[in-house]
Amino acid sequence: MRVVLALFLIVGLVGAISAEDWLQWRGADRANRSSEIGLFENWAADGPPLAWMASGMGSGYASVSVSGNTIYTTGNFADSQSVVAVDATTGDVLWKQPITGGPPKHGYEGSRTTPTIDGDHLYMVSSDGVIVCLNRHDGSEVWKRDYKDWNGKMMSGWGYSESPLVDGERVLCTPGGSQGMIVALNKMTGDEIWTSLLPSYDDETGLNGKALKDGAGYSSIVISQGAGVKQYVQLVGRGLIGVRASDGKFLWRYDQVANGTANIPTAIIDGDYIFTSTGYNTGSALLKLTSDGDGVKAEEVYWLDGKKLQNKHGGMTLVDGYIYCGHGNGSGLPICVNMKSGEVAWGPERAEGKNETSLVYADGHIIFRREDGTVILAKATPKKFDVVGTFKPEYQAGKSWAHPVIAGGKLYLREQDKLMCYTLKR
């Protein structure tokens, strides 16, 4: 009896280890990697089986976050931009909570923010610039702050797209304003802890010939411990910046990666190194953070021009020293690049599907999602673009820009008002 019980406990522990939540944009550490295993042994020629497809997400491009048996996302409805909670077993909508007084108006209308889950709370930024904290169990509002409090400003006209970062007792966000480029708030009350301001810059021109712009970009904050200093790294209108976590002091800026249209991808952090990229014919760079007196400076290790590597908005993932992403200003061709050297391992590949490519890593594989909905499963190897299989999802409409998520042995694909759940682990 004891042997049976021990075996049961071991199996249960292994199951708990091999399944995980996805609590924020790009998952743990915002690295876009799942630690789940045993996911792809049963991937059929036509892809994994569809567990369910749910309606009621609203319109938009937000991805999902997952905790236990509940999924969270955001969408536009006739009367509001709202947060939606969904039962992960059935796809039933559990509740819907408006976070704006109407659907925000901007280019490519629809939600962007992926809810950040922290304990009993959710944190989102509406695309018209309001950070909101909700009770995640019933959707009731805890607090909210309007970016107007900091003279909030976007670099261009497609709406705020950030997913807030929770770090300890703080929640961080990027109003992009003259009174607060990045702000740290008490996550329980919304009270201001500090604001971080950028210096004033003269007129500058990006590599694509367009003037650089003040304001927030379309990226989300990540944490670096580079050069022994905890700092928040964010891509804004004027480039990639680092601010000291303790007090918001501005530390450094790297402007070559900025363009005057839209600075979007979340940066990749690896020890003292940062990899950053933007589209619109700009390019990519590897930076190294080093001590500079009582501050930090960012030194360029190498620069790759837009012909060699540019990621527009599908995001990048670092696996075993190699960057995987879609390359091109709209083409999203899968590519693999050695992060240390900048050398292309393979690609860009004219893979099945069309246009932009988002992705997620899990269990030795990359799942690529193309703008036309095509899903590609490939081995995560720098040796070659090793495709295991492709499939077309149950539903596709418009531009499939919402990034894929793996949680609890399931693959989630958001497609405007629909959310599809595919079973990876039986």
Side-chain angles (χ1 to χ4, degrees):
M1 179 67 180
R2 283 188 214 145
V3 174
V4 173
L5 178 58
L7 182 60
F8 176 78
L9 290 173
I10 289 170
V11 171
L13 179 60
V14 170
I17 291 172
S18 61
E20 65 179 18
D21 292 335
W22 192 269
L23 300 179
Q24 61 176 333
W25 166 246
R26 292 174 58 86
D29 300 323
R30 301 199 152 176
N32 203 36
R33 296 193 300 258
S34 168
S35 64
E36 296 190 35
I37 58 176
L39 298 176
F40 304 117
E41 288 89 343
N42 299 310
W43 188 286
D46 57 350
L50 179 71
W52 49 258
M53 182 171 67
S55 300
M57 307 302 114
S59 63
Y61 306 98
S63 188
V64 301
S65 50
V66 184
S67 178
N69 199 47
T70 308
I71 305 161
Y72 302 94
T73 191
T74 59
N76 274 19
F77 297 85
D79 61 346
S80 66
Q81 190 167 97
S82 294
V83 181
V84 181
V86 178
D87 186 297
T89 301
T90 64
D92 294 338
V93 173
L94 301 174
W95 54 258
K96 178 171 75 75
Q97 176 63 44
I99 59 173
T100 67
K105 301 297 182 183
H106 46 67
Y108 288 103
E109 290 184 9
S111 65
R112 284 95 165 92
T113 187
T114 298
T116 299
I117 304 168
D118 181 69
D120 293 327
H121 297 121
L122 301 174
Y123 300 87
M124 295 70 48
V125 174
S126 65
S127 59
D128 60 357
V130 177
I131 181 170
V132 182
C133 173
L134 301 181
N135 180 308
R136 77 177 185 92
H137 302 293
D138 61 13
S140 58
E141 183 181 299
V142 179
W143 58 261
K144 65 181 178 182
R145 294 287 302 268
D146 196 310
Y147 278 3
K148 292 177 182 177
D149 293 348
W150 301 281
N151 294 331
K153 176 183 174 65
M154 281 297 299
M155 66 172 292
S156 49
W158 289 292
Y160 284 95
S161 302
E162 182 179 25
S163 299
L165 173 71
V166 173
D167 183 26
E169 298 306 309
R170 303 169 178 174
V171 59
L172 287 297
C173 58
T174 313
S178 59
Q179 299 302 310
M181 174 58 69
I182 294 175
V183 300
L185 307 176
N186 182 304
K187 70 178 183 180
M188 303 303 292
T189 65
D191 293 337
E192 184 180 296
I193 298 173
W194 52 250
T195 63
S196 183
L197 306 180
L198 255 60
S200 296
Y201 298 108
D202 295 330
D203 293 344
E204 299 173 306
T205 302
L207 292 180
N208 67 350
K210 293 191 175 183
L212 300 189
K213 297 176 181 177
D214 296 327
Y218 298 86
S219 187
S220 292
I221 299 169
V222 287
I223 299 173
S224 169
Q225 302 284 353
V229 177
K230 183 177 180 179
Q231 56 202 277
Y232 300 121
V233 176
Q234 175 63 304
L235 184 62
V236 300
R238 289 283 185 158
L240 192 72
I241 63 171
V243 306
R244 192 160 60 194
S246 60
D247 57 6
K249 177 186 176 182
F250 173 78
L251 295 173
W252 55 266
R253 177 177 75 120
Y254 179 73
D255 62 357
Q256 185 155 315
V257 76
N259 64 73
T261 304
N263 300 322
I264 303 172
T266 298
I268 299 290
I269 305 296
D270 186 32
D272 290 333
Y273 293 90
I274 302 174
F275 191 86
T276 181
S277 183
T278 67
Y280 301 95
N281 302 313
T282 306
S284 307
L286 180 67
L287 310 178
K288 184 177 182 181
L289 301 182
T290 58
S291 297
D292 184 22
D294 64 349
V296 176
K297 63 181 178 180
E299 299 178 320
E300 182 184 290
V301 178
Y302 62 76
W303 170 258
L304 305 177
D305 66 29
K307 292 182 180 179
K308 190 166 186 180
L309 182 63
Q310 57 173 311
N311 182 252
K312 188 177 180 183
H313 63 61
M316 307 169 289
T317 302
L318 175 64
V319 181
D320 297 331
Y322 288 85
I323 297 285
Y324 296 84
C325 65
H327 160 69
N329 188 46
S331 54
L333 303 177
I335 193 170
C336 175
V337 176
N338 184 311
M339 193 182 86
K340 184 178 180 180
S341 68
E343 292 301 313
V344 174
W346 53 254
E349 300 286 339
R350 296 201 172 277
E352 189 168 338
K354 297 179 181 178
N355 303 330
E356 287 300 330
T357 300
S358 57
L359 72 165
V360 64
Y361 168 84
D363 196 18
H365 293 74
I366 303 283
I367 291 179
F368 296 94
R369 187 185 193 196
R370 306 300 303 275
E371 185 177 301
D372 69 349
T374 302
V375 177
I376 303 170
L377 177 67
K379 293 181 180 179
T381 174
K383 295 180 180 179
K384 64 176 181 177
F385 184 47
D386 193 352
V387 175
V388 176
T390 66
F391 76 93
K392 283 283 192 175
E394 186 74 14
Y395 177 79
Q396 200 278 329
K399 301 178 186 296
S400 299
W401 285 347
H403 291 207
V405 163
I406 292 173
K410 302 293 196 299
L411 169 65
Y412 295 102
L413 301 176
R414 164 77 183 277
E415 187 68 55
Q416 296 295 333
D417 188 60
K418 308 287 188 185
L419 177 62
M420 292 166 279
C421 172
Y422 288 88
T423 300
L424 297 180
K425 192 170 186 177
R426 291 182 173 89

